[in-house]
């Protein structure tokens, strides 16, 4: 490979069950020259996300043997559009490749938020991941200051962002679940959760009841099943559950999680259960910036990211994320 | 029994499964004289409600071998409170008896809404039943003009009120389910539903998909289970399900209905599922009056009520309502 070579990751087969490296190929081709109205971007930071697991099953999203797409951050190398200048940093969706040709409309400039705000913030706390957490807390669960919150899968990208943002929003008791002792420790020692539990340690209902003995006002859930049932049981009257479309695995890896047996209590407790997709709430990004950027600048708000170095490891990073090996948002850096 | 005799219905045993007349006794006692600050009321119209089935199981609500309570309308016979004058019509909760001693605080005056508004309206369309429908449509499902609505158990008190009120609110296509051909015909021929089906005629999901082939925006459900699953399947993105606590049987007669297998689609479709209890929304009664009373007065809004004549038949009326024998709200008249 030389500087003239572009590498695109292409899916070569549809998985049944858990995907493997064999489902992907790294395909080399010449770096393209920009045509009028486009720019050549060299990608420097990639996001690998749960929803990519769904994309693997979909002929509409990831066509076999074609370049895949994903959220990424790149630098303009060459341009035939005056609105995109060489050196510009842009956010776009033509990820999973080293280079991409983009039009102005396909990009969003990386805003200059001053020193102290790392580039990785734009693909984590200030990206779709953080925005999912922000929208779930504010627009869907409508978390009020002093209210007690449970976050499931709390050590991942959305979960850690939810914990950090809930603190900034003045949440009361903050409880999280995660899949290992290391993650549980990370939640309470680093992210600021008041209590956390490993959901392997017993029935989730019992673990949550113990972690939130006085009940809960709001839940951000991306897991469903036993977590949702435990949430309904722990919520106080008028509790809200924001169900975030972040964990795509369930559509793909197996049957959906079983529905909660206590769903009928939604009536008796006047609970609101609401699903949402972050793409419908992009207009909240400005609010998220207002809330988070000052704390990023001051250093009071660390990023929760696991960064895998080297584009060549992007498939491993993705599979590792699906296995839950990341603390915070999983990213790949060039 | 003479005019000096008061009859109270008392529950004598807790049922297992479907209740029977043997679980109740009609107990005679002398009509009490009002003490200072109370009035003697002769009841003239009684409401029997699904939530009474739950009350039968609860030591807190209906103590065995004591007078039971329920929504009723009565006339003041004698009073030792100047605020309650003989002849006044009042609404109160000491039903399931011929007479009651009440304080001013335990009553609400029957408002004089002019000719054309029958007394029965206060225990049906303008009572807790109609208010449940109104709140479910407006505050919970937030039905907008032109939007398509599905109402389950639509031939009952809440369901018929929902159909009538949805029309006044400008709903688009109106679909209902019911438990017999007679009820289905009533919904389309009398209440104004565009389509209705008997849920015994096949899988509810298929029946609803056929009745609402273009999808739905909102659902008022009091049934759960298969009806809820069908609703989730038929709803468009951003659909809302108001889950009304009207059908109490499920807590009592058997296990709760199975949770919908497609609950996960709440995320993908950004659906909101919200339970509510009408007691938390009594402040909406004024709005309901504003919407409905002009149409009651003009005769454009008929009441959907099944009135059983004779207090002695109140237990039969209640059991008949649980069996679904009523069209509209089940009431008992003296």
């Amino acid at each position: 490979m030389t500087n003239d070579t572009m590498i695109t990751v292409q899916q070569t087969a549809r998985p049944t069950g858990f995907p493997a490296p064999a489902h992907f190929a790294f395909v080399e081709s010449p770096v393209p020259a920009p045509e009028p109205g486009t720019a050549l971007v060299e990608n420097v930071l990639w996001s690998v996300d749960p929803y990519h697991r769904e994309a693997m099953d979909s002929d509409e999203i990831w066509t076999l043997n074609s370049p895949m797409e994903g959220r990424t951050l790149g630098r303009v190398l060459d341009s035939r559009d005056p609105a995109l200048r060489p050196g510009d940093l842009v956010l776009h969706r033509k990820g999973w490749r080293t280079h991409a040709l983009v039009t102005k409309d396909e990009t969003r400039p990386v805003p200059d938020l001053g020193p102290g705000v790392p580039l990785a913030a734009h693909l984590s706390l200030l990206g779709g991941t953080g925005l999912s957490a922000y929208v779930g807390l504010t627009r869907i669960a409508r978390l009020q200051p002093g209210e007690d919150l449970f976050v499931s899968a709390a050590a991942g990208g959305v979960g850690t962002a939810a914990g950090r943002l809930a603190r900034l929003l003045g949440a009361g008791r903050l409880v999280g679940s995660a899949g290992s002792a290391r993650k549980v420790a990370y939640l309470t020692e680093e992210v600021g959760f008041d209590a956390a539990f490993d959901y392997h340690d017993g029935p989730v209902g019992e673990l949550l009841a113990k972690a939130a003995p006085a009940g809960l006002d709001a839940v951000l859930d991306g897991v469903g099943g036993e977590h949702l049932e435990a949430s309904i049981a722990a919520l106080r009257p008028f509790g809200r559950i924001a169900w975030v479309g972040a964990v795509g695995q369930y559509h793909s890896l197996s049957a959906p999680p079983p529905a909660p047996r206590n769903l009928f209590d939604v009536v008796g407790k006047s609970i609101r259960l609401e699903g949402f997709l972050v793409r419908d709430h992009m207009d909240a990004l400005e609010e998220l910036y207002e809330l988070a950027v000052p704390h990023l600048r001051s250093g009071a708000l660390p990023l929760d990211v696991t960064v895998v170095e080297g584009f060549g490891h992007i498939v491993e990073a993705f599979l590792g994320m699906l296995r839950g090996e990341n603390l915070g948002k999983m990213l790949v850096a060039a």
Side-chain angles (χ1 to χ4, degrees), chain A:
Chain A
M1 151 172 60
T2 71
N3 279 349
D4 298 335
T5 303
M6 171 171 80
I7 304 174
T8 63
V9 179
Q10 303 190 10
Q11 188 182 339
T12 54
R14 302 275 173 221
T16 56
F18 206 88
H23 295 110
F24 302 91
F26 286 76
V27 178
E28 296 189 11
S29 58
V31 169
E35 295 165 23
T38 71
L40 174 68
V41 170
E42 182 176 40
N43 293 326
V44 297
L45 199 61
W46 294 264
S47 176
V48 288
D49 289 281
Y51 77 83
H52 291 152
R53 177 62 191 85
E54 273 186 78
M56 290 191 76
D57 291 338
S58 165
D59 290 326
E60 283 88 51
I61 310 181
W62 278 356
T63 310
L64 291 185
N65 304 307
S66 300
M68 290 146 43
E69 305 217 335
R71 295 175 186 140
T72 186
L73 190 156
R75 188 184 308 272
V76 175
L77 286 185
D78 190 7
S79 175
R80 293 187 66 186
D81 181 338
L84 295 167
R85 291 160 309 184
D88 282 357
L89 288 173
V90 293
L91 293 158
H92 64 93
R93 296 190 153 269
K94 295 193 176 173
W96 292 79
R97 67 191 85 180
T98 55
H99 301 74
L101 284 184
V102 295
T103 66
K104 171 72 180 161
D105 287 350
E106 290 171 335
T107 68
R108 196 160 60 80
V110 173
D112 181 6
L113 301 174
V117 182
L119 282 187
H122 298 288
L123 290 182
S124 57
L125 189 66
L126 300 181
T129 300
L131 191 61
S132 291
Y134 179 78
V135 166
L137 295 179
T138 59
R139 293 194 175 180
I140 311 296
R142 294 181 213 152
L143 184 73
Q144 302 300 311
E147 286 192 333
D148 300 326
L149 174 74
F150 170 57
V151 179
S152 68
V158 173
T160 50
R164 303 274 186 191
L165 295 172
R167 272 283 167 262
L168 296 181
L169 292 164
R173 187 169 175 82
L174 205 48
V175 177
S177 72
S180 74
R182 180 178 74 118
K183 291 181 179 179
V184 165
Y186 184 75
L187 290 178
T188 55
E189 290 166 20
E190 300 293 331
V191 187
F193 280 80
D194 296 300
F197 59 85
D198 182 339
Y199 56 77
H200 299 102
D201 284 350
V204 177
E206 290 176 21
L207 296 169
L208 180 57
K210 199 173 154 193
L216 294 165
D217 302 296
V219 172
L220 184 71
D221 185 29
V223 177
E226 210 187 346
H227 274 81
L228 186 55
E229 184 169 296
S231 297
I232 291 172
L235 277 171
R236 303 182 183 120
F238 304 103
R240 290 88 59 199
I241 302 170
W243 201 350
V244 57
V247 182
Q249 294 97 305
Y250 289 111
H251 277 302
S252 311
L253 294 184
S254 58
R261 290 161 292 181
N262 59 354
L263 187 64
F264 201 86
D265 290 338
V266 160
V267 184
K269 290 191 184 182
S270 298
I271 287 172
R272 175 160 52 81
L273 168 65
E274 187 166 352
F276 71 103
L277 300 171
V278 70
R279 66 176 184 217
D280 297 314
H281 298 273
M282 296 311 291
D283 60 302
L285 192 59
E286 204 63 37
E287 284 172 40
L288 170 60
Y289 276 29
E290 278 172 33
L291 177 71
V293 169
H295 302 280
L296 284 166
R297 279 194 191 127
S298 75
L301 185 55
L303 288 188
D304 303 294
V305 288
T306 296
V307 181
V308 172
E309 301 287 338
F311 177 74
H313 297 292
I314 190 168
V315 170
E316 291 159 46
F318 170 59
L319 299 178
M321 183 276 302
L322 290 183
R323 284 190 296 264
E325 291 168 5
N326 49 308
L327 283 176
K329 179 75 182 85
M330 183 72 105
L331 297 175
V332 178

